[in-house]
Amino acid sequence: MRLLLLFFSLVLLLLAQPKRRPLVVVSVDGLDQRYLRDADKVGLKIPTIRKLMREGETSAGVVGVVPTVTWPSHTTLVTGVRPAEHGILGNRRPRGETGDYYWFANMIKVPTLWQATRQAGLKSATITWPVTVGADVDFNLPEYFRGRDGGSMDYVSIYERATPGLVEKIEAFDSSFNQTWVDDRTRTLATVYLLKQERPDLILLHLVDLDSESHIYGPYTKEAYACLEKTDAYIAEILAAAPKDYVISLTSDHGFERVDREINSTGFGVKLGGSLKFRVFGGLLFPETPETRERVLQSGILGREVPREEIAKFAPEQLGPNFLGAFEPKRNEGFAYGALANTELYLPPHEKGNHGFWPGLPDYRSVFVLWGPGIRPAKKPEMRMEEIAPRYAEILAVKLGR
């Protein structure tokens, strides 16, 4: 009788354990939620993404972290905490710390999803995922470059930092991987190789071309739509290669806005009256003296003043005894902040589209979709980016965090 009770206890314990499923995360840089929301209206030919949304779990949008740029956001996607906590504060480090990119995984101050995967005895892979040079992964093609061509990164730089022998294996699988630039086609090819030959438990894939097109031509343009349709075809290749036990997640790092004019922070200072003190961070302008705040309000040039409680929600580290307010540009009129040494107030945009805006207002959202075994079709409400990594950990049945 005791043996029988012990047997049933073990069975119940096993049933209570979360079911582990391998996971592919496809992050499409710059994929704003509006592309998915308005797909029918603009006639987007994205059958694979539509399938994932129809058959899987889809969020109404993902509220980003501050700042809403690529490297901090991708690090939040694998840690579940804000940039102020994980330490990746921008794409580039402050000028006082060389101003170079946050290339190296050891710059992340908190545990990552790939570390949790390794601690569970599982294998992981990263493909041009930011902040992964030297990461504790089994198959690593890190985001590292000495040259860029739009969303493409020079092949030699990535080869030099990749897991030894990995590039040669991918080339043997498909010789077309060896080209001057690592682009979304070859990133996809590397993913297909991993799924067919190595089958790691976690693959983190960063596709970059949509972001590049949106900077050059603007978001929600024919060029951006064409790029997303090509991206959809790449995702179809990944689905075709993935074994049936894999969960696929489509996500992104930030939304995108068109930019028609930039408010030059230098020229704005001159317009306000010379040596007034303010700083621009996270898509907001922060006055640093009472006089500056008063001049900002009198100018009528800027847009919304962001409520203090909104700052506390998204970037509480910006609050303090000297906090005097924060102002957005007029985003609905195509304004963004810029910075040049001249004294012109308004500048033509250096790019037709951009991100890095404050996440407090609606519409400017990234995406989250889950599809695969154990994922039921569901339309979920808006979520915060910090919620995504714990969800991935749940699928992998690993423990994320300290």
Side-chain angles (χ1 to χ4, degrees):
M1 186 65 178
R2 287 182 179 177
L3 288 175
L4 188 61
L5 288 172
L6 180 60
F7 171 76
F8 280 115
S9 296
L10 289 171
V11 169
L12 290 172
L13 181 63
L14 289 171
L15 289 174
Q17 295 297 315
K19 185 178 179 182
R20 175 171 287 154
R21 290 155 291 171
L23 172 67
V24 180
V25 176
V26 182
S27 172
V28 179
D29 201 309
L31 180 58
D32 191 290
Q33 174 67 17
R34 283 167 281 191
Y35 284 106
L36 308 189
R37 185 194 68 188
D38 300 336
D40 289 337
K41 184 166 67 176
V42 301
L44 273 174
K45 300 178 181 65
I46 48 171
T48 310
I49 294 175
R50 289 177 184 271
K51 171 185 173 68
L52 298 179
M53 295 174 64
R54 182 177 63 252
E55 299 178 3
E57 176 186 315
T58 306
S59 167
V62 177
V63 182
V65 291
V66 179
T68 55
V69 295
T70 299
W71 293 47
S73 299
H74 275 91
T75 309
T76 292
L77 286 171
V78 294
T79 61
V81 301
R82 298 181 301 107
E85 297 175 61
H86 62 55
I88 308 304
L89 304 177
N91 291 348
R92 290 178 175 270
R93 298 158 68 187
R95 289 184 180 179
E97 300 176 16
T98 75
D100 205 351
Y101 285 89
Y102 285 93
W103 300 117
F104 300 96
N106 62 10
M107 294 176 172
I108 302 174
K109 297 178 179 178
V110 299
T112 62
L113 197 61
W114 60 75
Q115 289 171 324
T117 303
R118 172 159 287 190
Q119 287 168 4
L122 307 176
K123 291 188 175 182
S124 61
T126 52
I127 301 170
T128 61
W129 194 274
V131 203
T132 53
V133 174
D136 296 328
V137 299
D138 300 275
F139 309 99
N140 192 6
L141 294 174
E143 179 145 339
Y144 185 79
F145 49 83
R146 290 187 290 269
R148 290 283 302 263
D149 181 19
S152 302
M153 303 162 190
D154 72 287
Y155 177 93
V156 172
S157 292
I158 292 177
Y159 174 84
E160 291 173 352
R161 297 287 185 169
T163 300
L166 177 58
V167 170
E168 289 82 357
K169 289 179 180 179
I170 300 172
E171 289 175 352
F173 177 76
D174 189 324
S175 60
S176 71
F177 181 78
N178 187 342
Q179 60 180 38
T180 303
W181 301 105
V182 175
D183 56 14
D184 281 0
R185 184 194 73 83
T186 51
R187 293 177 181 112
T188 300
L189 196 159
T191 306
V192 170
Y193 162 78
L194 289 166
L195 287 167
K196 288 189 172 183
Q197 302 295 323
E198 307 289 356
R199 295 194 61 172
D201 301 277
L202 170 66
I203 299 177
L204 298 170
L205 167 64
H206 178 209
L207 298 177
V208 191
D209 291 351
L210 177 64
D211 178 85
S212 176
E213 294 293 284
S214 299
H215 280 295
I216 296 169
Y217 299 104
Y220 326 114
T221 58
K222 65 179 182 179
E223 292 85 359
Y225 292 146
C227 186
L228 181 56
E229 290 175 352
K230 186 182 292 185
T231 301
D232 186 86
Y234 293 143
I235 298 172
E237 292 181 37
I238 292 168
L239 257 65
K244 295 189 181 300
D245 59 336
Y246 271 76
V247 171
I248 310 295
S249 177
L250 172 66
T251 190
S252 60
D253 48 357
H254 50 68
F256 237 99
E257 300 281 5
R258 87 175 196 279
V259 179
D260 299 321
R261 284 192 291 177
E262 293 183 358
I263 298 172
N264 180 17
S265 58
T266 305
F268 186 56
V270 172
K271 175 74 175 178
L272 292 180
S275 60
L276 300 176
K277 294 183 179 180
F278 58 84
R279 60 189 174 86
V280 175
F281 172 78
L284 302 181
L285 182 142
F286 293 83
E288 295 190 323
T289 67
E291 182 186 3
T292 303
R293 171 183 167 76
E294 187 61 30
R295 294 282 185 89
V296 168
L297 289 169
Q298 290 173 357
S299 75
I301 291 171
L302 303 187
R304 181 178 71 117
E305 181 172 11
V306 178
R308 184 184 180 94
E309 58 269 22
E310 200 172 296
I311 304 291
K313 180 179 179 181
F314 295 113
E317 65 279 358
Q318 298 301 318
L319 296 175
N322 298 321
F323 175 76
L324 295 172
F327 296 83
E328 282 195 295
K330 296 175 181 178
R331 278 166 43 187
N332 60 338
E333 298 180 21
F335 280 95
Y337 291 128
L340 284 179
N342 65 41
T343 59
E344 295 294 321
L345 174 59
Y346 296 117
L347 303 170
H350 71 287
E351 294 174 315
K352 293 183 179 179
N354 218 328
H355 45 86
F357 295 94
W358 182 252
L361 290 178
D363 278 348
Y364 178 66
R365 299 286 184 262
S366 57
V367 308
F368 180 71
V369 181
L370 276 178
W371 176 91
I375 307 299
R376 296 181 179 180
K379 304 297 182 185
K380 298 282 186 156
E382 193 172 88
M383 64 191 299
R384 293 187 65 166
M385 186 169 283
E386 299 95 308
E387 298 176 65
I388 292 176
R391 191 70 195 279
Y392 290 158
E394 176 188 329
I395 291 166
L396 293 163
V398 299
K399 184 179 179 182
L400 179 64
R402 293 184 175 90

